[in-house]
């Protein structure tokens, strides 16, 4: 079954860290760039980060640059998002996404709540 | 940077055709996609590559493209189609989203 499954979300205090995971199955994970996208409660979608298929290139939205870090392990078909120095405005559902000419997929998301 | 513009809301009666437009320069060179999102649920991909429908998506959902505009058409809208609809595209290492259209079917 072709799917993306995120995990690792939860409630965390401001300033703390969290690592999200996205496990892929049913397709050749290693050939696709992987994106992370987030959606704050009641808001639209915001692109957060991308990592190229071979892991050599990362790019980030200005709003998270320096605090979030994306990585991947192609041997485990998994992409990660490390969230550091979390702020209240990072509260959102985080989705991993494939958005290529050959494949489009969304995970079901994982909720991150930043609260004292 | 690229932007995608879609109407914030649309209202149709059951059985009518709903058309949601999405405009932006990026669509002249990159594919448009559409997803449906209901409250508290994850996005459901409806259309990819401007016009392609994933398996399992009802035939009443279709996509079209012309120049810098893509359009999602729902033929014979049903009450269950009441949801938020977002267009998006991918270019230059990023994913660009429209602001979403709230479709009301009543």
């Amino acid at each position: 079954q072709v799917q993306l499954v995120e995990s690792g979300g939860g409630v965390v205090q401001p300033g703390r860290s969290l690592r999200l995971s996205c496990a892929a199955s049913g397709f050749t994970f290693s050939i696709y760039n992987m994106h992370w996208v987030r959606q704050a409660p009641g808001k639209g979608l915001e692109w957060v980060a991308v990592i190229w298929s071979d892991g050599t290139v990362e790019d980030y939205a200005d709003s998270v640059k320096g605090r979030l870090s994306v990585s991947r392990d192609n041997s485990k078909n998994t992409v990660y998002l490390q969230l550091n120095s979390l702020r209240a405005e990072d509260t959102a559902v985080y989705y991993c996404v494939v958005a290529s000419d050959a494949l489009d997929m969304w995970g079901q998301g994982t909720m991150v709540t930043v609260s004292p | 940077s690229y932007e995608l513009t879609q109407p914030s809301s649309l209202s149709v009666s059951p059985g009518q055709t709903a058309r949601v437009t999405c405009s932006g320069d990026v669509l002249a060179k990159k594919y448009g996609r559409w997803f449906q999102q209901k409250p508290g649920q994850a996005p459901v991909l409806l259309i990819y590559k401007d016009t392609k429908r994933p398996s399992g998506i009802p035939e009443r959902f279709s996509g079209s493209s012309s120049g810098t505009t893509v359009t999602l058409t729902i033929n014979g809208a049903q009450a269950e189609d009441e949801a938020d609809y977002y267009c998006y595209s991918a270019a230059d290492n990023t994913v660009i989203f429209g602001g979403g259209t709230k479709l009301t079917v009543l």
Side-chain angles (χ1 to χ4, degrees):
Chain A
Q1 184 180 4
V2 180
Q3 62 178 358
L4 297 169
V5 179
E6 300 94 334
S7 61
V11 180
V12 61
Q13 294 177 326
R16 303 299 290 266
S17 298
L18 205 60
R19 190 177 84 154
L20 309 181
S21 300
C22 170
S25 59
F27 65 99
T28 308
F29 175 77
S30 61
I31 67 172
Y32 293 102
N33 297 351
M34 295 298 299
H35 299 267
W36 284 95
V37 168
R38 69 183 181 183
Q39 186 174 33
K43 302 296 185 181
L45 282 298
E46 178 189 20
W47 174 81
V48 170
V50 63
I51 184 166
W52 280 18
S53 58
D54 59 4
T56 57
V57 175
E58 305 160 24
D59 201 3
Y60 301 90
D62 289 342
S63 59
V64 304
K65 204 167 287 186
R67 298 189 301 114
L68 272 60
S69 176
V70 60
S71 61
R72 66 190 294 161
D73 185 340
N74 285 345
S75 69
K76 296 182 178 180
N77 288 347
T78 301
V79 60
Y80 305 96
L81 186 66
Q82 179 71 37
L83 296 83
N84 299 321
S85 303
L86 282 162
R87 307 167 178 168
E89 54 264 37
D90 296 317
T91 295
V93 178
Y94 286 75
Y95 298 97
C96 60
V97 177
V98 180
S100 76
D101 287 351
L103 181 67
D104 279 275
M105 287 185 61
W106 288 71
Q108 87 291 346
T110 187
M111 181 72 201
V112 173
T113 302
V114 184
S115 177
Chain B
S1 62
Y2 294 114
E3 294 183 352
L4 292 175
T5 301
Q6 49 181 126
S8 59
S9 64
L10 179 65
S11 182
V12 298
S13 299
Q16 284 191 328
T17 296
R19 292 184 180 85
V20 186
T21 58
C22 173
S23 299
D25 291 341
V26 65
L27 297 174
K29 56 180 182 177
K30 295 292 184 179
Y31 289 122
R33 292 91 157 164
W34 292 94
F35 71 78
Q36 177 194 68
Q37 190 176 39
K38 296 181 179 180
Q41 297 185 19
V44 174
L45 184 67
L46 295 177
I47 299 291
Y48 64 100
K49 284 189 176 181
D50 293 342
T51 63
K52 305 296 185 184
R53 192 174 52 245
S55 61
I57 299 301
E59 292 183 4
R60 65 180 181 275
F61 293 96
S62 64
S64 60
S65 174
S66 178
T68 59
T69 298
V70 293
T71 301
L72 172 70
T73 300
I74 309 173
N75 284 307
Q78 302 179 6
E80 68 202 53
D81 299 331
E82 190 162 289
D84 293 328
Y85 293 84
Y86 290 86
C87 63
Y88 68 103
S89 189
D92 298 345
N93 272 344
T94 187
V95 181
I96 309 105
F97 294 96
T101 298
K102 183 175 184 60
L103 177 67
T104 302
V105 181
L106 54 73

